Amino acid sequence: MQIFNLVNEHRKQKGLIALKYDNDIFNQCYIHSKNMATGKTAFGHDGFSDRIKNLTPWYWAGENVAYNYSTKPEDVVNMWLNSSGHRANIESSQATHSAVSAVKNSEGVWYYTQIFIKR
């Protein structure tokens, strides 16, 4: 929730609406983070279209992922904000709902997923 709240704080500073937290989105984020952390899925966006199919109805969707960052939520958000594609998702005027998950693997590496959708 800390990452989610930091993203909303950034959006507020940009004059954008706050994202609404969505448990269904969280479930998809968690599954993807867990799959990346366990090696079931490669790091990245593989399977994104399948994840958002489970979130209907939606009219726009985006996804941010990260790994191997500290447990500080600010570090993850700052990394995303320093990447044009990730920043575009965070600052999208289309986005209305979101959630984020973090899963640590057995080696101590964290995997993060945030999905944004417009409902």
Side-chain angles (χ1 to χ4, degrees):
M1 281 307 294
Q2 291 173 318
I3 293 171
F4 179 83
N5 291 334
L6 288 169
V7 165
N8 267 339
E9 286 176 25
H10 177 80
R11 289 176 60 84
K12 184 178 178 181
Q13 291 172 357
K14 295 291 184 180
L16 298 165
I17 64 162
L19 299 168
K20 294 177 185 161
Y21 182 84
D22 186 293
N23 281 322
D24 292 333
I25 296 173
F26 171 79
N27 291 335
Q28 293 302 310
C29 291
Y30 176 76
I31 290 167
H32 187 54
S33 293
K34 184 176 178 183
N35 286 344
M36 289 188 298
T38 61
K40 184 175 180 181
T41 302
F43 172 76
H45 301 286
D46 289 350
F48 176 63
S49 60
D50 293 328
R51 285 188 288 287
I52 60 172
K53 281 180 191 173
N54 294 316
L55 300 173
T56 57
W58 59 269
Y59 305 98
W60 173 90
E63 179 179 68
N64 288 351
V65 296
Y67 78 98
N68 205 21
Y69 285 85
S70 75
T71 58
K72 291 181 176 180
E74 299 85 1
D75 292 345
V76 177
V77 174
N78 286 333
M79 184 278 306
W80 282 336
L81 291 174
N82 286 318
S83 162
S84 60
H86 295 101
R87 177 184 281 271
N89 285 335
I90 290 171
E91 295 180 356
S92 174
S93 61
Q94 298 270 349
T96 59
H97 295 74
S98 185
V100 62
S101 73
V103 174
K104 183 168 65 169
N105 73 6
S106 58
E107 289 82 38
V109 177
W110 286 90
Y111 288 80
Y112 303 90
T113 305
Q114 183 167 21
I115 294 175
F116 306 84
I117 63 171
K118 176 183 180 179
R119 284 222 164 118

